[in-house]
Amino acid sequence: EGVVYLGAENGVLVALDARTGDEKWRFAKEGSNISFSPAISDGSVFVPVSDGVLYVLDAATGEQQWRYDPNTATTQYHPTADVVVAEGVAYFMTSSNTAVNGVLHAVEIALQSPKWFHETPTENFSAPSVKDELLYFGGVNGMLYAVAANTGGLAWSHQAEDIIFTSPALSLIHISEPTRRTPISYAVFC
């Protein structure tokens, strides 16, 4: 508590005392960048780094606890949105060097291993929002997706009028669409 976590393009994440601004610790991934916000949960900091790896750090010391690496010999992933942690699962949005698609990874924190992944036909720059065992996120194809948090299966999708860059707000999904003068709001829950 009382800590500000700040990532930078130079691959450094620093933890600062929120009152004084004094540095508590730093984590550095040389040759990489940290372009998306980390998530903090149960004493851990979940950091998406441009090398495609989700690093999990001790929130008090900055020491690496473990990491999730979806990369293979032929596929290099990179994060495309902030990481989200809910109900013991870290949700990590990526795209790959082999296809113009999006992949939402669900990583079981207790097991430190993948639970499932969900692929979409285009990249997704919208961090998932979680409510009532569903995850909601948008894609550059203008599609709003709802997937089951326990399986990653598609529950439903909705075609918006343009690209979706924002993360959905869940009592009312408000999506900024750059080609319109005024935003459109989509009511989802009553």
Side-chain angles (χ1 to χ4, degrees):
E1 291 186 27
V3 180
V4 175
Y5 300 94
L6 178 67
E9 286 292 309
N10 65 352
V12 174
L13 178 81
V14 294
L16 306 173
D17 183 288
R19 289 179 175 219
T20 66
D22 292 339
E23 185 174 309
K24 297 172 71 75
W25 55 259
R26 70 177 34 225
F27 169 79
K29 280 305 298 172
E30 204 166 303
S32 295
N33 62 54
I34 299 172
S35 300
F36 299 99
S37 298
I40 295 87
S41 179
D42 293 327
S44 296
V45 181
F46 297 79
V47 187
V49 177
S50 65
D51 62 2
V53 177
L54 177 63
Y55 293 89
V56 182
L57 312 176
D58 183 291
T61 66
E63 293 294 318
Q64 182 177 317
Q65 295 174 322
W66 56 279
R67 61 188 235 155
Y68 167 68
D69 185 353
N71 298 309
T72 67
T74 58
T75 304
Q76 176 69 41
Y77 290 94
H78 59 272
T80 58
D82 297 341
V83 109
V84 173
V85 175
E87 303 296 326
V89 179
Y91 299 101
F92 179 49
M93 190 72 74
T94 66
S95 187
S96 74
N97 65 334
T98 57
V100 182
N101 67 342
V103 181
L104 175 60
H105 304 264
V107 182
E108 190 79 49
I109 295 169
L111 301 176
Q112 301 177 6
S113 64
K115 182 175 181 176
W116 53 257
F117 65 91
H118 180 88
E119 291 187 74
T120 61
T122 61
E123 290 183 305
N124 307 301
F125 297 105
S126 164
S129 297
V130 185
K131 183 173 174 77
D132 298 332
E133 299 182 16
L134 289 175
L135 294 135
Y136 304 87
F137 60 93
V140 298
N141 60 352
M143 192 66 71
L144 175 66
Y145 299 97
V147 299
N150 61 341
T151 65
L154 182 65
W156 55 263
S157 62
H158 172 79
Q159 183 65 53
E161 293 185 23
D162 205 344
I163 295 170
I164 302 171
F165 285 115
T166 61
S167 296
L170 294 180
S171 52
L172 181 70
I173 295 181
H174 173 81
I175 301 171
S176 299
E177 296 184 4
T179 59
R180 296 183 57 89
R181 286 189 194 160
T182 57
I184 295 176
S185 296
Y186 294 96
V188 175
F189 299 104
C190 298

